[in-house]
Amino acid sequence: MANKKRYVVCGVSTRAVGMYIGPMVRDFAHCAEFVGMLDIDPLRFKVCKDLVPEAKDVPEYLAADFDRMIEEQKPDAVFVISMDCTHVEYILRSLEKGLDVICEKPMTTNTADALRVREAEKKSKGTVICTFNYRYNAIHRKLREMVLAGAVGRPTHVDLTWYIDYRHGSSYFHRWNRMRENSGSLSIHKSSHHFDLVNWWIDGIPEQVHAFGALNHYGPNGPFNPSKKDGRSCPTCPEFMKCGYKTRWATRNSTLFAPDDHINSFETKVTQYSMYNPKKCIFDSEINIYDTFVANVKYRNGVLLNYSANFSTPYEGYRLAINGTHGRLESLEFVGGCASALPDLNDGQQYIDYYPIFQGRERIHVVSSTGGHGGGDPLIREDIFLGEDPNRKFDILAKSVDGLRAISIGDAVFNSIKNGGVQDLTGFME
């Protein structure tokens, strides 16, 4: 027992339970001990212990009891998996106590708070890990290897278009994510994943960002809004069967949707929250983020990025190209929504097309791993609980500086959309 690392979890979210708590007490019990859980909602403790009976004796703490939890349980590290806007508080308080932090993305909801984390970490014996699990996807690791090996020569340009299907995309507008003050906006909450991938692939430090965006699909002016009324909730909405986003998946006999890795935890008849409604109307007027945006990013090493995201498309996935002085890499992925009915989108599998300059095409098939996010979830858990793989040829477990770089782009995207102009990151970017 003495050799085990002791962990507490701040935010007993669905992500926390499925991604970390369950595996911690089952797969990593030989090296990790789950010693405390903290949340604002006591019902989440019951949900967690029902799903993970092995955690039935783990002490429970409310948000005001953070210091008491640390004093009583004496953890070595703190998982921060709560609402995005609360991350900075738990990170800073943990670092003040010299504890390591494992934080779900995004590390914070704005650049200023990310800089606070960086400064606090420099003064602490604790360190911060950002769980950018999408780096661990087999295709994404292979892209990193090929760029590092010089396959495209010096990288010059990245073109990345991301599609989020209408079911997954609309889910953000049911939940707390729909408010800038909670999530930082989708250019941070969601796109920080994507910006981190690009930063990592090209070893890029962002310097300038310019963006345009709009709220095209959700909010009161959404084209499928049955009527302009605030305060509706899907389970009790009298206009439910008039909403195109719902009738695509539900029937008159059931408002429950088919399972989905991202959001099926919310589609249940069993109450899982006592102070939170994850099924608010996607057409409410309080929504203050964008669902469509495009951005240009200039990096210190000269690479240029074209990026776009749309949160209401018929299928989910991305189209990627990495251009360089000596070649080009392409990859695409389509899942969810209608993708299963359209296998020709990517021949039912994902691969990398490599175009050496002045030559033809080489198609590279990559063996994928099992598990969530293209096999990324099990691999990042190994690095978190067992330590980084010493045989790996490149860094992959993201640190606070990576969190800052991804967040700074997402924050600049939102600010450029809202205020116009090019956002300069050179004054603080490492």
Side-chain angles (χ1 to χ4, degrees), residues 216-422:
N216 288 314
H217 306 286
Y218 310 108
N221 297 319
F224 295 100
N225 186 2
S227 63
K228 291 189 178 182
K229 299 176 183 177
D230 280 343
R232 291 169 290 186
S233 181
C234 285
T236 59
C237 180
E239 298 177 293
F240 185 92
M241 294 307 295
K242 296 180 181 178
C243 175
Y245 284 91
K246 299 303 152 191
T247 55
R248 173 64 179 84
W249 302 103
T251 67
R252 288 182 295 168
N253 189 48
S254 175
T255 60
L256 296 180
F257 305 145
D260 179 277
D261 285 345
H262 290 87
I263 61 175
N264 66 335
S265 59
F266 302 107
E267 311 307 337
T268 173
K269 293 179 179 178
V270 179
T271 300
Q272 293 190 308
Y273 305 91
S274 60
M275 297 176 287
Y276 168 54
N277 177 12
K279 300 177 183 178
K280 291 183 176 181
C281 182
I282 60 177
F283 301 116
D284 282 346
S285 61
E286 72 172 6
I287 293 169
N288 62 359
I289 61 173
Y290 306 107
D291 59 30
T292 313
F293 42 91
V294 298
N296 293 323
V297 181
K298 179 181 179 296
Y299 289 89
R300 183 179 298 176
N301 60 7
V303 177
L304 303 176
L305 165 66
N306 300 122
Y307 172 82
S308 65
N310 189 311
F311 286 80
S312 184
T313 55
Y315 47 78
E316 179 140 343
Y318 65 80
R319 296 180 187 271
L320 167 73
I322 302 176
N323 296 293
T325 55
H326 288 68
R328 172 181 172 94
L329 297 171
E330 292 181 358
S331 189
L332 51 82
E333 178 187 32
F334 296 107
V335 296
C338 297
S340 60
L342 301 170
D344 56 306
L345 285 173
N346 57 350
D347 299 331
Q349 57 186 313
Q350 193 177 6
Y351 44 76
I352 298 169
D353 280 334
Y354 173 41
Y355 297 86
I357 200 162
F358 309 134
Q359 298 180 37
R361 181 187 72 181
E362 177 183 349
R363 177 155 289 181
I364 300 166
H365 294 271
V366 179
V367 177
S368 61
S369 306
T370 58
H373 293 90
D377 289 353
L379 294 178
I380 193 172
R381 281 195 293 262
E382 289 187 351
D383 274 8
I384 289 171
F385 290 115
L386 303 179
E388 295 184 66
D389 185 349
N391 297 316
R392 194 177 289 119
K393 297 178 181 179
F394 51 82
D395 291 337
I396 188 170
L397 189 62
K399 312 302 191 296
S400 64
V401 66
D402 304 302
L404 167 64
R405 290 172 182 173
I407 289 162
S408 69
I409 299 176
D411 204 16
V413 167
F414 187 91
N415 289 325
S416 181
I417 295 170
K418 183 177 179 180
N419 303 318
V422 175

Side-chain angles (χ1 to χ4, degrees), residues 92 94-99 115-127:
L92 293 178
S94 300
L95 290 174
E96 286 173 2
K97 298 177 183 298
L99 302 174
L115 290 169
R116 291 173 63 199
V117 169
R118 291 285 293 154
E119 288 304 309
E121 187 180 25
K122 293 174 184 177
K123 300 173 184 177
S124 174
K125 69 176 183 179
T127 60

